[in-house]
Amino acid sequence: MTRTGGFAGRTSSVLVKGDGSWTRLDGDAKPAGSGKLSPQELERLRSALTAADFAHLPRVSKSGTPVYDGFEYTLVHGGFEVVTADGSVPPAIQDVLSALPPSEG
């Protein structure tokens, strides 16, 4: 997941591997943190990803009310990419976002 925007125009990414280990990258793609999800956290993320069904989500979902100084999110899973933004995040993607490690340290 890559998050861009906000008041300061920041970019950060979180990469999660299948074993639950994760790395946070700053806007220059430099490591800015790492860790490992607990088994429960990993199962929550896997369940959210399965329920989101990326293959059937719109590639871009930005039809809601724009949030000035909000964030845009690009998520990649299972070979599919979905882009959404604050104010138009589908509930299934919100569940994925809340299951991910924080995008800032």
Side-chain angles (χ1 to χ4, degrees):
M1 183 274 303
T2 298
R3 183 182 82 165
T4 60
F7 179 74
R10 294 183 171 183
T11 298
S12 61
S13 298
V14 175
L15 307 170
V16 181
K17 294 183 180 179
D19 67 354
S21 61
W22 58 268
T23 302
R24 183 176 31 251
L25 305 172
D26 66 15
D28 296 321
K30 295 179 183 171
S34 63
K36 188 164 185 176
L37 297 174
S38 70
Q40 296 83 7
E41 291 169 328
L42 182 57
E43 181 54 35
R44 179 177 172 224
L45 177 58
R46 285 182 175 153
S47 294
L49 288 166
T50 299
D53 192 11
F54 274 55
H56 294 99
L57 287 172
R59 164 112 169 61
V60 176
S61 174
K62 293 187 190 178
S63 60
T65 304
V67 176
Y68 298 102
D69 295 328
F71 290 100
E72 178 177 287
Y73 305 91
T74 302
L75 297 99
V76 178
H77 174 67
F80 296 95
E81 180 179 77
V82 174
V83 179
T84 190
D86 287 341
S88 62
V89 178
I93 294 298
Q94 186 58 55
D95 291 345
V96 172
L97 291 173
S98 67
L100 287 168
S103 55
E104 292 187 334

